[in-house]
Amino acid sequence: MSDKLSPEEREERKLPPEDESYISEEKQKEILQKYDPESNTRDLSGIIKHVVFFGLLAFSLFQLYTAIFGQYTAYIQRSVHLGFALSLIFILFPMRRRKGARHKVAWYDYILALLSIGIGAYWPIMYDDLVFRIGRVTELDLIVGILAVILTLEATRRAVGMPITVIGALFLTYGFFGPYFPGFMRHRGQDLESLIQLMFYTTDGILGTPIGVSATFIFTFLLFGSFLVKTGVGQYFNDLAVSLAGNLTGGPAKVAIFSSALQGTISGSSVANVVTSGSYTIPMMKKLGYKKEFAGGVEAAASTGGQLMPPIMGAAAFLMVEFIGGVTYWEIAKAAAIPALLYFTGVWIMTHFEAKRIGLKGLAPDEMPDRKEVLKKIYLLTPILAIILFLLVGIPTMQAALYGILLTIFVSAFNKETRLGFKDIIHALVDGARTALAVAAATATAGIIVGVVVKTGLGLSLANGLVSASGGNVLLTLFFTMLAAIVLGMGSPTTANYVITSTIAAPAIITLLMVDEPAGAAVPIVVALSAHLFVFYFGIIADITPPVALAAFAASGISGGEPIRTGFNAAKLAIAAFVIPYMFVLSPELLMIDTTWTELIWVLITAITGMIAIGAGLIGYWYRKLNWLERIITFVTGIALIYPEGFTDLIGAAVFIVLFVIQWMSRDKKTRKAQTA
């Protein structure tokens, strides 16, 4: 299939005939399958295609039924959820990425799928017996438990990727061979029976909190996102972004930022966000004059930032509620709002300076959509705004998602183009379940990691190790934790990397911030939130941090740029994300917890002016080109403004004003003419 749009499609999007072609759905699928393991599914046909379709539908109906009428006990709810996910993964996802494997299900995958169904059914069938002899494992229990662990790891490898699978396997190894590990990592170790009991017959392993959240909150919100997508809201995000930002300086880059931020509210994947919005924005940026690597970097940075956007936050916010305890979903979304806003402000500033540096303007009037026509469909955003309102007034999370789904169906009826018929609703249920497969596998494997950490005390050992390595220095501890979070987050989806980083890295920050507190003291909400959001941010940023920058690599597949250079451009544009987490740990006012409006406004002003200075220093342009000395001074000034200390703020503000006046007075002739015209 050609990558070019037909004349009719081009006319519908109000694009001139000579415009650069956009990326076809076939090309998008190819890029997704290359860089996003969650999209690497078989193209099935015949009877098995219908079997999978109805299996996915049954999965969604089961989840909806329990969401509406009440969940089963934790063991039954989670094991059925796991059984559905594993069995469907083995049919949909091939063992290897070969072209031939995409069209035919191997015989052994049918066996693995049947075994997975048995795993999912074991707890419901044997529930009374298992509960009666809790703590004792029979030979059959042991076999089923071993199969559950093996099938979970293999399904995760296929649907999520190798990194989290390897980490899960290493933790299992550590749990079993603990006595043989050196130094502070040594623990008593467990025999096979005890380990399998922990993994499948308690709520501390595979059937633990992570998959419990997947089987409740995450699934319903993924369904909500699926219904929204069916209304065409994804394309509407692009149209709205173009109508509002397309004619600004370097317009297409700002369209990418705006569109990706909106896409992030319903997307659970940085790579999927890149392909969805990037297939539209990257060719626009290239046509305007941005280099391939920069265009790809803009989209990758913006799409990765979408995972930081409330209310969905890549579904990690739901896990955060359970992991922190004593905090509501709304409090997490509120705390994440200003850091997310600052992140996109930073990317916006950098792209603006780059556009000014190379003399780019916005889209021409004939390339802009009719703003009035676009705004007529603003009602499509109602369900997203409603979800935020539902959470604000205290409606339970799952109930809010169900109301959001019903509201989406209702709102879609106002326009023939967006109206959801019975077939659309069925397909939305199927698509939602398909999206949930990788999340279920990832959270099941994450449960293995959490189980070993909790049972062995490894989290505390690693936390003490990080604090000792830094000598108790706050900045050094944060730096080492940042490195750990980035490495652990490489190649993992949002939910998985948060579970890993929050289990292994977050305790180091909490340990350090609580060092002056008496032993056993309760961890304040602000401390827990700061630590968990810190590792969450850097786990996400791993998607654009070379050498494993999957979001940037996907963007390079669209732009035709060099992948590593695209990754470095994305990391440079997302410099705010490398700074903001330090800010809200050192200055928790940004999280809007126990703070005054005066404190918050001051922190925001210094943060934004600091990012302006950092952006100018990195790009090498403000009101004119900067020489190397000016770039260093400007960058350091930005750091001083961002560092949350009164003295550095005052020094930074004074230098910033001087730099601004010098830049304004010596701005180049083109800028003067543009400003006096």
Side-chain angles (χ1 to χ4, degrees), residues 335-365:
I338 289 180
L341 176 65
L342 289 175
Y343 174 88
F344 282 103
T345 301
V347 180
W348 185 286
I349 288 167
M350 299 274 278
T351 55
H352 177 78
F353 285 146
E354 176 68 11
K356 297 289 285 185
R357 185 182 72 83
I358 58 180
L360 301 182
K361 298 181 179 179
L363 295 175

PDB file of all heavy atoms in Angstrom, residues 335-365:
ATOM      1  N   ALA A 335      -1.261  16.298  42.037  1.00  0.00           N
ATOM      2  CA  ALA A 335       0.174  16.487  42.283  1.00  0.00           C
ATOM      3  C   ALA A 335       0.980  16.431  40.997  1.00  0.00           C
ATOM      4  O   ALA A 335       2.008  17.111  40.854  1.00  0.00           O
ATOM      5  CB  ALA A 335       0.673  15.426  43.265  1.00  0.00           C
ATOM      6  N   ALA A 336       0.525  15.629  40.026  1.00  0.00           N
ATOM      7  CA  ALA A 336       1.265  15.467  38.768  1.00  0.00           C
ATOM      8  C   ALA A 336       0.969  16.572  37.758  1.00  0.00           C
ATOM      9  O   ALA A 336       1.680  16.682  36.751  1.00  0.00           O
ATOM     10  CB  ALA A 336       0.917  14.114  38.146  1.00  0.00           C
ATOM     11  N   ALA A 337      -0.048  17.389  38.009  1.00  0.00           N
ATOM     12  CA  ALA A 337      -0.513  18.357  37.003  1.00  0.00           C
ATOM     13  C   ALA A 337       0.528  19.427  36.677  1.00  0.00           C
ATOM     14  O   ALA A 337       0.855  19.656  35.508  1.00  0.00           O
ATOM     15  CB  ALA A 337      -1.819  19.003  37.476  1.00  0.00           C
ATOM     16  N   ILE A 338       1.067  20.102  37.702  1.00  0.00           N
ATOM     17  CA  ILE A 338       2.021  21.190  37.446  1.00  0.00           C
ATOM     18  C   ILE A 338       3.339  20.669  36.877  1.00  0.00           C
ATOM     19  O   ILE A 338       3.868  21.252  35.917  1.00  0.00           O
ATOM     20  CB  ILE A 338       2.234  22.033  38.722  1.00  0.00           C
ATOM     21  CG1 ILE A 338       0.967  22.845  39.000  1.00  0.00           C
ATOM     22  CG2 ILE A 338       3.438  22.946  38.576  1.00  0.00           C
ATOM     23  CD1 ILE A 338       1.034  23.713  40.227  1.00  0.00           C
ATOM     24  N   PRO A 339       3.919  19.572  37.400  1.00  0.00           N
ATOM     25  CA  PRO A 339       5.116  19.021  36.747  1.00  0.00           C
ATOM     26  C   PRO A 339       4.886  18.684  35.271  1.00  0.00           C
ATOM     27  O   PRO A 339       5.767  18.933  34.436  1.00  0.00           O
ATOM     28  CB  PRO A 339       5.413  17.762  37.570  1.00  0.00           C
ATOM     29  CG  PRO A 339       4.911  18.084  38.932  1.00  0.00           C
ATOM     30  CD  PRO A 339       3.661  18.883  38.685  1.00  0.00           C
ATOM     31  N   ALA A 340       3.719  18.137  34.938  1.00  0.00           N
ATOM     32  CA  ALA A 340       3.424  17.816  33.535  1.00  0.00           C
ATOM     33  C   ALA A 340       3.334  19.097  32.706  1.00  0.00           C
ATOM     34  O   ALA A 340       3.841  19.159  31.574  1.00  0.00           O
ATOM     35  CB  ALA A 340       2.120  17.030  33.432  1.00  0.00           C
ATOM     36  N   LEU A 341       2.693  20.123  33.262  1.00  0.00           N
ATOM     37  CA  LEU A 341       2.586  21.408  32.568  1.00  0.00           C
ATOM     38  C   LEU A 341       3.970  22.007  32.324  1.00  0.00           C
ATOM     39  O   LEU A 341       4.262  22.518  31.231  1.00  0.00           O
ATOM     40  CB  LEU A 341       1.733  22.371  33.404  1.00  0.00           C
ATOM     41  CG  LEU A 341       1.587  23.796  32.870  1.00  0.00           C
ATOM     42  CD1 LEU A 341       0.816  23.785  31.546  1.00  0.00           C
ATOM     43  CD2 LEU A 341       0.860  24.691  33.879  1.00  0.00           C
ATOM     44  N   LEU A 342       4.840  21.922  33.327  1.00  0.00           N
ATOM     45  CA  LEU A 342       6.199  22.446  33.180  1.00  0.00           C
ATOM     46  C   LEU A 342       6.984  21.656  32.133  1.00  0.00           C
ATOM     47  O   LEU A 342       7.793  22.219  31.386  1.00  0.00           O
ATOM     48  CB  LEU A 342       6.932  22.403  34.519  1.00  0.00           C
ATOM     49  CG  LEU A 342       6.470  23.411  35.580  1.00  0.00           C
ATOM     50  CD1 LEU A 342       7.193  23.171  36.894  1.00  0.00           C
ATOM     51  CD2 LEU A 342       6.694  24.842  35.104  1.00  0.00           C
ATOM     52  N   TYR A 343       6.759  20.354  32.092  1.00  0.00           N
ATOM     53  CA  TYR A 343       7.442  19.517  31.095  1.00  0.00           C
ATOM     54  C   TYR A 343       7.108  20.003  29.686  1.00  0.00           C
ATOM     55  O   TYR A 343       8.008  20.240  28.863  1.00  0.00           O
ATOM     56  CB  TYR A 343       7.018  18.059  31.263  1.00  0.00           C
ATOM     57  CG  TYR A 343       7.572  17.143  30.187  1.00  0.00           C
ATOM     58  CD1 TYR A 343       8.814  16.546  30.336  1.00  0.00           C
ATOM     59  CD2 TYR A 343       6.869  16.898  29.003  1.00  0.00           C
ATOM     60  CE1 TYR A 343       9.335  15.718  29.349  1.00  0.00           C
ATOM     61  CE2 TYR A 343       7.383  16.077  28.015  1.00  0.00           C
ATOM     62  CZ  TYR A 343       8.610  15.490  28.189  1.00  0.00           C
ATOM     63  OH  TYR A 343       9.124  14.683  27.210  1.00  0.00           O
ATOM     64  N   PHE A 344       5.823  20.133  29.383  1.00  0.00           N
ATOM     65  CA  PHE A 344       5.424  20.554  28.036  1.00  0.00           C
ATOM     66  C   PHE A 344       5.805  22.006  27.761  1.00  0.00           C
ATOM     67  O   PHE A 344       6.092  22.364  26.613  1.00  0.00           O
ATOM     68  CB  PHE A 344       3.923  20.342  27.840  1.00  0.00           C
ATOM     69  CG  PHE A 344       3.565  18.905  27.571  1.00  0.00           C
ATOM     70  CD1 PHE A 344       3.011  18.118  28.554  1.00  0.00           C
ATOM     71  CD2 PHE A 344       3.812  18.333  26.333  1.00  0.00           C
ATOM     72  CE1 PHE A 344       2.704  16.782  28.322  1.00  0.00           C
ATOM     73  CE2 PHE A 344       3.514  17.011  26.085  1.00  0.00           C
ATOM     74  CZ  PHE A 344       2.958  16.231  27.078  1.00  0.00           C
ATOM     75  N   THR A 345       5.836  22.825  28.805  1.00  0.00           N
ATOM     76  CA  THR A 345       6.311  24.201  28.632  1.00  0.00           C
ATOM     77  C   THR A 345       7.769  24.203  28.193  1.00  0.00           C
ATOM     78  O   THR A 345       8.174  24.958  27.299  1.00  0.00           O
ATOM     79  CB  THR A 345       6.157  24.999  29.943  1.00  0.00           C
ATOM     80  OG1 THR A 345       4.789  25.016  30.338  1.00  0.00           O
ATOM     81  CG2 THR A 345       6.651  26.437  29.770  1.00  0.00           C
ATOM     82  N   GLY A 346       8.568  23.330  28.807  1.00  0.00           N
ATOM     83  CA  GLY A 346       9.981  23.228  28.437  1.00  0.00           C
ATOM     84  C   GLY A 346      10.178  22.791  27.003  1.00  0.00           C
ATOM     85  O   GLY A 346      10.992  23.364  26.269  1.00  0.00           O
ATOM     86  N   VAL A 347       9.423  21.774  26.561  1.00  0.00           N
ATOM     87  CA  VAL A 347       9.536  21.303  25.179  1.00  0.00           C
ATOM     88  C   VAL A 347       9.082  22.401  24.217  1.00  0.00           C
ATOM     89  O   VAL A 347       9.691  22.625  23.164  1.00  0.00           O
ATOM     90  CB  VAL A 347       8.705  20.017  24.974  1.00  0.00           C
ATOM     91  CG1 VAL A 347       8.819  19.537  23.525  1.00  0.00           C
ATOM     92  CG2 VAL A 347       9.171  18.911  25.906  1.00  0.00           C
ATOM     93  N   TRP A 348       8.015  23.097  24.572  1.00  0.00           N
ATOM     94  CA  TRP A 348       7.478  24.195  23.745  1.00  0.00           C
ATOM     95  C   TRP A 348       8.540  25.285  23.573  1.00  0.00           C
ATOM     96  O   TRP A 348       8.769  25.779  22.463  1.00  0.00           O
ATOM     97  CB  TRP A 348       6.224  24.757  24.419  1.00  0.00           C
ATOM     98  CG  TRP A 348       5.481  25.801  23.638  1.00  0.00           C
ATOM     99  CD1 TRP A 348       5.837  27.099  23.428  1.00  0.00           C
ATOM    100  CD2 TRP A 348       4.227  25.629  22.958  1.00  0.00           C
ATOM    101  NE1 TRP A 348       4.898  27.749  22.674  1.00  0.00           N
ATOM    102  CE2 TRP A 348       3.889  26.874  22.371  1.00  0.00           C
ATOM    103  CE3 TRP A 348       3.362  24.558  22.802  1.00  0.00           C
ATOM    104  CZ2 TRP A 348       2.711  27.064  21.640  1.00  0.00           C
ATOM    105  CZ3 TRP A 348       2.193  24.750  22.080  1.00  0.00           C
ATOM    106  CH2 TRP A 348       1.880  25.974  21.503  1.00  0.00           C
ATOM    107  N   ILE A 349       9.176  25.677  24.676  1.00  0.00           N
ATOM    108  CA  ILE A 349      10.202  26.732  24.637  1.00  0.00           C
ATOM    109  C   ILE A 349      11.356  26.328  23.722  1.00  0.00           C
ATOM    110  O   ILE A 349      11.828  27.130  22.895  1.00  0.00           O
ATOM    111  CB  ILE A 349      10.719  27.021  26.062  1.00  0.00           C
ATOM    112  CG1 ILE A 349       9.646  27.757  26.873  1.00  0.00           C
ATOM    113  CG2 ILE A 349      12.014  27.839  26.026  1.00  0.00           C
ATOM    114  CD1 ILE A 349       9.933  27.816  28.357  1.00  0.00           C
ATOM    115  N   MET A 350      11.810  25.105  23.840  1.00  0.00           N
ATOM    116  CA  MET A 350      12.947  24.637  23.037  1.00  0.00           C
ATOM    117  C   MET A 350      12.612  24.640  21.548  1.00  0.00           C
ATOM    118  O   MET A 350      13.426  25.063  20.714  1.00  0.00           O
ATOM    119  CB  MET A 350      13.348  23.229  23.471  1.00  0.00           C
ATOM    120  CG  MET A 350      13.799  23.134  24.918  1.00  0.00           C
ATOM    121  SD  MET A 350      15.530  23.510  25.125  1.00  0.00           S
ATOM    122  CE  MET A 350      16.253  21.946  24.681  1.00  0.00           C
ATOM    123  N   THR A 351      11.424  24.158  21.202  1.00  0.00           N
ATOM    124  CA  THR A 351      11.050  24.134  19.777  1.00  0.00           C
ATOM    125  C   THR A 351      10.866  25.554  19.245  1.00  0.00           C
ATOM    126  O   THR A 351      11.162  25.828  18.076  1.00  0.00           O
ATOM    127  CB  THR A 351       9.754  23.333  19.560  1.00  0.00           C
ATOM    128  OG1 THR A 351       8.711  23.857  20.394  1.00  0.00           O
ATOM    129  CG2 THR A 351       9.950  21.870  19.878  1.00  0.00           C
ATOM    130  N   HIS A 352      10.391  26.450  20.096  1.00  0.00           N
ATOM    131  CA  HIS A 352      10.221  27.846  19.673  1.00  0.00           C
ATOM    132  C   HIS A 352      11.575  28.472  19.341  1.00  0.00           C
ATOM    133  O   HIS A 352      11.729  29.111  18.289  1.00  0.00           O
ATOM    134  CB  HIS A 352       9.527  28.643  20.783  1.00  0.00           C
ATOM    135  CG  HIS A 352       9.367  30.097  20.469  1.00  0.00           C
ATOM    136  ND1 HIS A 352       8.395  30.582  19.618  1.00  0.00           N
ATOM    137  CD2 HIS A 352      10.087  31.189  20.879  1.00  0.00           C
ATOM    138  CE1 HIS A 352       8.508  31.900  19.513  1.00  0.00           C
ATOM    139  NE2 HIS A 352       9.523  32.296  20.270  1.00  0.00           N
ATOM    140  N   PHE A 353      12.562  28.260  20.221  1.00  0.00           N
ATOM    141  CA  PHE A 353      13.883  28.830  19.971  1.00  0.00           C
ATOM    142  C   PHE A 353      14.541  28.209  18.741  1.00  0.00           C
ATOM    143  O   PHE A 353      15.233  28.896  17.984  1.00  0.00           O
ATOM    144  CB  PHE A 353      14.782  28.659  21.196  1.00  0.00           C
ATOM    145  CG  PHE A 353      14.461  29.601  22.326  1.00  0.00           C
ATOM    146  CD1 PHE A 353      14.617  29.210  23.650  1.00  0.00           C
ATOM    147  CD2 PHE A 353      14.013  30.886  22.073  1.00  0.00           C
ATOM    148  CE1 PHE A 353      14.331  30.073  24.698  1.00  0.00           C
ATOM    149  CE2 PHE A 353      13.724  31.760  23.115  1.00  0.00           C
ATOM    150  CZ  PHE A 353      13.875  31.354  24.426  1.00  0.00           C
ATOM    151  N   GLU A 354      14.326  26.917  18.530  1.00  0.00           N
ATOM    152  CA  GLU A 354      14.889  26.271  17.344  1.00  0.00           C
ATOM    153  C   GLU A 354      14.261  26.846  16.074  1.00  0.00           C
ATOM    154  O   GLU A 354      14.948  27.090  15.076  1.00  0.00           O
ATOM    155  CB  GLU A 354      14.657  24.758  17.417  1.00  0.00           C
ATOM    156  CG  GLU A 354      15.115  23.989  16.191  1.00  0.00           C
ATOM    157  CD  GLU A 354      16.624  23.968  15.994  1.00  0.00           C
ATOM    158  OE1 GLU A 354      17.355  24.371  16.928  1.00  0.00           O
ATOM    159  OE2 GLU A 354      17.069  23.538  14.914  1.00  0.00           O
ATOM    160  N   ALA A 355      12.944  27.061  16.105  1.00  0.00           N
ATOM    161  CA  ALA A 355      12.261  27.651  14.945  1.00  0.00           C
ATOM    162  C   ALA A 355      12.779  29.057  14.669  1.00  0.00           C
ATOM    163  O   ALA A 355      12.990  29.441  13.509  1.00  0.00           O
ATOM    164  CB  ALA A 355      10.755  27.673  15.185  1.00  0.00           C
ATOM    165  N   LYS A 356      12.990  29.839  15.729  1.00  0.00           N
ATOM    166  CA  LYS A 356      13.515  31.197  15.551  1.00  0.00           C
ATOM    167  C   LYS A 356      14.950  31.154  15.020  1.00  0.00           C
ATOM    168  O   LYS A 356      15.339  31.975  14.184  1.00  0.00           O
ATOM    169  CB  LYS A 356      13.483  31.932  16.889  1.00  0.00           C
ATOM    170  CG  LYS A 356      12.098  32.144  17.467  1.00  0.00           C
ATOM    171  CD  LYS A 356      11.281  33.161  16.716  1.00  0.00           C
ATOM    172  CE  LYS A 356      11.739  34.561  16.997  1.00  0.00           C
ATOM    173  NZ  LYS A 356      10.853  35.567  16.345  1.00  0.00           N
ATOM    174  N   ARG A 357      15.715  30.183  15.507  1.00  0.00           N
ATOM    175  CA  ARG A 357      17.127  30.088  15.108  1.00  0.00           C
ATOM    176  C   ARG A 357      17.273  29.828  13.620  1.00  0.00           C
ATOM    177  O   ARG A 357      18.150  30.407  12.962  1.00  0.00           O
ATOM    178  CB  ARG A 357      17.816  28.977  15.900  1.00  0.00           C
ATOM    179  CG  ARG A 357      19.315  28.872  15.663  1.00  0.00           C
ATOM    180  CD  ARG A 357      19.930  27.727  16.444  1.00  0.00           C
ATOM    181  NE  ARG A 357      19.550  26.439  15.885  1.00  0.00           N
ATOM    182  CZ  ARG A 357      20.150  25.854  14.845  1.00  0.00           C
ATOM    183  NH1 ARG A 357      21.169  26.457  14.244  1.00  0.00           N
ATOM    184  NH2 ARG A 357      19.761  24.680  14.411  1.00  0.00           N
ATOM    185  N   ILE A 358      16.422  28.954  13.066  1.00  0.00           N
ATOM    186  CA  ILE A 358      16.563  28.613  11.648  1.00  0.00           C
ATOM    187  C   ILE A 358      15.545  29.349  10.778  1.00  0.00           C
ATOM    188  O   ILE A 358      15.419  29.069   9.589  1.00  0.00           O
ATOM    189  CB  ILE A 358      16.460  27.092  11.417  1.00  0.00           C
ATOM    190  CG1 ILE A 358      15.139  26.535  11.937  1.00  0.00           C
ATOM    191  CG2 ILE A 358      17.614  26.381  12.089  1.00  0.00           C
ATOM    192  CD1 ILE A 358      14.993  25.030  11.739  1.00  0.00           C
ATOM    193  N   GLY A 359      14.805  30.301  11.389  1.00  0.00           N
ATOM    194  CA  GLY A 359      13.928  31.177  10.630  1.00  0.00           C
ATOM    195  C   GLY A 359      12.656  30.537  10.119  1.00  0.00           C
ATOM    196  O   GLY A 359      12.210  30.851   9.006  1.00  0.00           O
ATOM    197  N   LEU A 360      12.042  29.656  10.901  1.00  0.00           N
ATOM    198  CA  LEU A 360      10.809  28.987  10.468  1.00  0.00           C
ATOM    199  C   LEU A 360       9.577  29.756  10.934  1.00  0.00           C
ATOM    200  O   LEU A 360       9.566  30.332  12.020  1.00  0.00           O
ATOM    201  CB  LEU A 360      10.749  27.565  11.023  1.00  0.00           C
ATOM    202  CG  LEU A 360      11.902  26.637  10.636  1.00  0.00           C
ATOM    203  CD1 LEU A 360      11.657  25.256  11.221  1.00  0.00           C
ATOM    204  CD2 LEU A 360      12.040  26.550   9.126  1.00  0.00           C
ATOM    205  N   LYS A 361       8.564  29.740  10.109  1.00  0.00           N
ATOM    206  CA  LYS A 361       7.299  30.373  10.464  1.00  0.00           C
ATOM    207  C   LYS A 361       6.243  29.287  10.651  1.00  0.00           C
ATOM    208  O   LYS A 361       6.541  28.105  10.674  1.00  0.00           O
ATOM    209  CB  LYS A 361       6.887  31.370   9.382  1.00  0.00           C
ATOM    210  CG  LYS A 361       7.879  32.517   9.209  1.00  0.00           C
ATOM    211  CD  LYS A 361       7.423  33.495   8.156  1.00  0.00           C
ATOM    212  CE  LYS A 361       8.420  34.652   8.015  1.00  0.00           C
ATOM    213  NZ  LYS A 361       8.002  35.619   6.966  1.00  0.00           N
ATOM    214  N   GLY A 362       5.004  29.697  10.740  1.00  0.00           N
ATOM    215  CA  GLY A 362       3.915  28.742  10.910  1.00  0.00           C
ATOM    216  C   GLY A 362       3.348  28.292   9.577  1.00  0.00           C
ATOM    217  O   GLY A 362       3.864  28.619   8.507  1.00  0.00           O
ATOM    218  N   LEU A 363       2.257  27.539   9.636  1.00  0.00           N
ATOM    219  CA  LEU A 363       1.587  27.084   8.422  1.00  0.00           C
ATOM    220  C   LEU A 363       0.925  28.255   7.710  1.00  0.00           C
ATOM    221  O   LEU A 363       0.482  29.216   8.343  1.00  0.00           O
ATOM    222  CB  LEU A 363       0.523  26.032   8.773  1.00  0.00           C
ATOM    223  CG  LEU A 363       1.021  24.706   9.366  1.00  0.00           C
ATOM    224  CD1 LEU A 363      -0.163  23.843   9.769  1.00  0.00           C
ATOM    225  CD2 LEU A 363       1.909  23.963   8.381  1.00  0.00           C
ATOM    226  N   ALA A 364       0.854  28.148   6.403  1.00  0.00           N
ATOM    227  CA  ALA A 364       0.176  29.172   5.611  1.00  0.00           C
ATOM    228  C   ALA A 364      -1.330  29.095   5.860  1.00  0.00           C
ATOM    229  O   ALA A 364      -1.854  28.039   6.236  1.00  0.00           O
ATOM    230  CB  ALA A 364       0.479  28.957   4.128  1.00  0.00           C
ATOM    231  N   PRO A 365      -2.045  30.206   5.635  1.00  0.00           N
ATOM    232  CA  PRO A 365      -3.497  30.215   5.873  1.00  0.00           C
ATOM    233  C   PRO A 365      -4.251  29.113   5.131  1.00  0.00           C
ATOM    234  O   PRO A 365      -5.207  28.541   5.664  1.00  0.00           O
ATOM    235  CB  PRO A 365      -3.914  31.605   5.380  1.00  0.00           C
ATOM    236  CG  PRO A 365      -2.694  32.451   5.571  1.00  0.00           C
ATOM    237  CD  PRO A 365      -1.547  31.543   5.272  1.00  0.00           C
TER     238      PRO A 365
END
